[in-house]
Amino acid sequence: KKAHIFHLNFTRRGNQRCIAVHRSRELTHICLYLFICQSQSLKGMQNFRASGDYDNDCSAPLTALCTQPEQVIKGGTNIVQCHILNDKRHILTKDSNNSVAFWDVLKACKGEDLGKVDFDEEIKKRFKMVYVPNWFSVDLKTGMLTITLDESDCFAAWVAAKDACFTSPDGSDPKLNLGGLLLQALLEFWPRTHINPMEEEEIELNHVNGEQESRIQKGNGYFQVPPHTPVIFGEAGGRTLFRLLCRDSGGETESTLLNETVPQWVIDITVDKNMPKFNKLPFYLQPHSSSGAKTLKKDRLSASDMLQVRKVMEHVYEKIINLDTESQTTSSSANDKPGEQEKEEDVAVMAEEKIELMCLDQLLDPNMDLRTVKHFIWKSGGDLTVHYRQKTSDLHLIC
């Protein structure tokens, strides 16, 4: 049956070792782990009696030979509470020992142990006024973070590379899909996901020359997840189809089973490298009532929901304000006609100096994107409406 759900577990590393592995008769993937703490040793076993050494006389009261343990093997703490931060990448957790930790879902690892701090205060401290759509779900049934990726919303979250603290070799700021990045990282050891950027003619030439190919591209090019991360493929109803560790996907048997199990929507991203389309957000752009400008025809605009307010400001500056200025005067100097010879960087600077955008009479931060404006300021159904105006004698943008 087709797999619909994709899980990964965050495991605790450190003073643990595997003392037993259960393998099925034909499959080589690990089905069961048993762990004990390797930093403790058992002592004081000299008072142990073997079965058969006890007599049957129960008339005399029995005295315990040992009233206190020589050593205690402590179990690991369980995560009992979690909160997904609104960047939809990081999670704060509190365990059964009241210790708080900071996790990175995208990199499938713990970012920081914060100790016994106030959980609610830590949430407030890390709040950012940014909106990112939900792209995963989380539960704590195992005592660990279990992240579930589902086809219905896995690719809902796009972010700019710089906002995710990633850099590109060419210095650009591409848009990245969080779910797509994670899927590519989880399956980067699977040979089927590896691509060769060379042309076929170059590959054939290298083979003729006996050169070893070393330009295979793996993963997403930005980060790796811990190789020991457990991954589970399952059906929508909850039945597990296949489970393995990330690093094991390169094995011959695991690779074959992945070919039979991985659903097409994961293949599209990890093998075919077909990233989903950007999310579009419709909105209206109108002059603010205080600007004195004539109300424009209410045309419905559409843009990526990640479009920053400053880009809308640039649009107003170039396409609305400059056009109005040019139509009203023919004697202004080149300096009075910004946009004629200006570079893109100059237009951005001029737009921020002269334009303001507002939503419901609240001034917008140029760094905000449209989806954040709609979620935190507009807060209602229907299409977003953004207003603009010039600053003082210039134009101000208002949403």
Side-chain angles (χ1 to χ4, degrees):
K1 295 182 179 180
K2 182 180 179 181
H4 298 285
I5 297 179
F6 196 81
H7 305 272
L8 63 143
N9 290 89
F10 290 14
T11 57
R12 292 181 286 269
R13 301 279 286 181
N15 60 348
Q16 294 181 327
R17 65 184 178 91
C18 181
I19 61 169
V21 176
H22 172 74
R23 299 176 185 267
S24 58
R25 182 170 300 175
E26 297 179 355
L27 304 182
T28 60
H29 67 278
I30 297 177
C31 301
L32 174 66
Y33 296 95
L34 298 177
F35 291 93
I36 66 167
C37 182
Q38 69 177 5
S39 62
Q40 303 290 343
S41 60
L42 296 178
K43 300 179 180 178
M45 300 296 289
Q46 64 272 16
N47 294 325
F48 175 75
R49 287 187 179 183
S51 60
D53 291 345
Y54 296 91
D55 55 42
N56 295 323
D57 184 7
C58 297
S59 58
L62 297 178
T63 302
L65 297 178
C66 183
T67 59
Q68 296 295 327
E70 179 84 9
Q71 290 284 346
V72 176
I73 302 177
K74 295 182 179 180
T77 56
N78 294 327
I79 295 176
V80 297
Q81 188 177 359
C82 71
H83 177 84
I84 302 173
L85 299 180
N86 55 337
D87 63 3
K88 299 306 188 326
R89 173 177 172 176
H90 297 102
I91 296 179
L92 284 173
T93 63
K94 183 166 71 172
D95 63 24
S96 53
N97 196 33
N98 290 322
S99 293
V100 178
F102 180 70
W103 299 79
D104 188 335
V105 173
L106 191 60
K107 294 184 177 181
C109 65
K110 182 187 291 186
E112 184 180 2
D113 279 310
L114 303 175
K116 295 182 179 181
V117 298
D118 188 288
F119 188 68
D120 294 330
E121 286 299 319
E122 198 65 31
I123 292 174
K124 294 178 182 179
K125 174 183 173 182
R126 295 175 183 269
F127 173 82
K128 296 179 181 179
M129 195 169 180
V130 60
Y131 175 74
V132 178
N134 295 319
W135 59 279
F136 65 88
S137 60
V138 58
D139 72 60
L140 308 175
K141 295 176 182 177
T142 63
M144 301 179 292
L145 287 177
T146 299
I147 305 298
T148 299
L149 305 180
D150 188 87
E151 181 181 7
S152 62
D153 58 8
C154 180
F155 307 118
W158 288 88
V159 298
K162 290 181 181 178
D163 291 340
C165 299
F166 296 131
T167 57
S168 298
D170 59 359
S172 62
D173 187 23
K175 302 299 186 289
L176 305 176
N177 187 275
L178 297 182
L181 288 178
L182 180 54
L183 287 175
Q184 290 172 344
L186 290 171
L187 293 175
E188 74 168 276
F189 292 99
W190 187 24
R192 189 176 171 185
T193 66
H194 301 168
I195 61 173
N196 192 326
M198 294 196 308
E199 298 292 337
E200 291 185 6
E201 295 80 2
E202 188 177 352
I203 296 175
E204 293 177 359
L205 180 62
N206 277 359
H207 286 173
V208 171
N209 294 335
E211 298 177 10
Q212 295 293 324
E213 182 52 58
S214 60
R215 296 176 60 186
I216 298 296
Q217 292 182 356
K218 302 178 181 180
N220 56 43
Y222 290 98
F223 64 89
Q224 293 179 312
V225 300
H228 65 272
T229 302
V231 179
I232 303 171
F233 290 89
E235 294 179 336
R239 187 171 74 92
T240 297
L241 299 176
F242 182 46
R243 67 181 67 198
L244 76 165
L245 303 182
C246 286
R247 61 174 175 241
D248 293 336
S249 60
E252 182 178 352
T253 302
E254 288 83 358
S255 182
T256 300
L257 290 172
L258 285 173
N259 288 333
E260 300 172 356
T261 306
V262 178
Q264 186 58 46
W265 61 274
V266 177
I267 295 292
D268 290 341
I269 300 297
T270 60
V271 178
D272 299 331
K273 313 300 179 184
N274 296 325
M275 298 305 290
K277 296 180 180 179
F278 295 134
N279 303 318
K280 294 291 186 178
L281 190 153
F283 67 100
Y284 293 100
L285 184 62
Q286 291 289 312
H288 191 257
S289 58
S290 65
S291 67
K294 182 180 178 181
T295 301
L296 303 175
K297 179 182 177 182
K298 201 169 185 180
D299 290 328
R300 191 169 186 257
L301 306 176
S302 180
S304 165
D305 64 358
M306 295 179 294
L307 186 71
Q308 289 187 319
V309 166
R310 62 166 37 90
K311 292 297 182 182
V312 184
M313 295 169 68
E314 292 173 21
H315 171 79
V316 172
Y317 177 69
E318 288 188 286
K319 304 300 183 182
I320 300 178
I321 301 305
N322 277 353
L323 290 179
D324 288 345
T325 302
E326 292 173 3
S327 65
Q328 294 172 11
T329 179
T330 58
S331 60
S332 59
S333 66
N335 290 334
D336 293 329
K337 292 183 179 180
E340 253 185 39
Q341 303 294 329
E342 293 169 343
K343 297 180 180 179
E344 184 178 345
E345 295 81 1
D346 296 329
V347 171
V349 172
M350 293 297 292
E352 289 195 42
E353 289 179 351
K354 294 177 176 292
I355 307 299
E356 287 180 339
L357 285 178
M358 302 180 74
C359 178
L360 300 179
D361 285 336
Q362 181 172 334
L363 189 64
L364 301 181
D365 185 335
N367 293 316
M368 274 187 175
D369 54 36
L370 292 180
R371 64 191 180 189
T372 299
V373 173
K374 184 169 185 179
H375 182 79
F376 285 104
I377 301 175
W378 184 250
K379 295 181 182 179
S380 63
D383 293 339
L384 172 68
T385 298
V386 176
H387 292 92
Y388 63 86
R389 71 184 179 192
Q390 288 180 297
K391 293 182 179 179
T392 315
S393 59
D394 299 320
L395 175 67
H396 287 254
L397 290 180
I398 302 179
C399 170

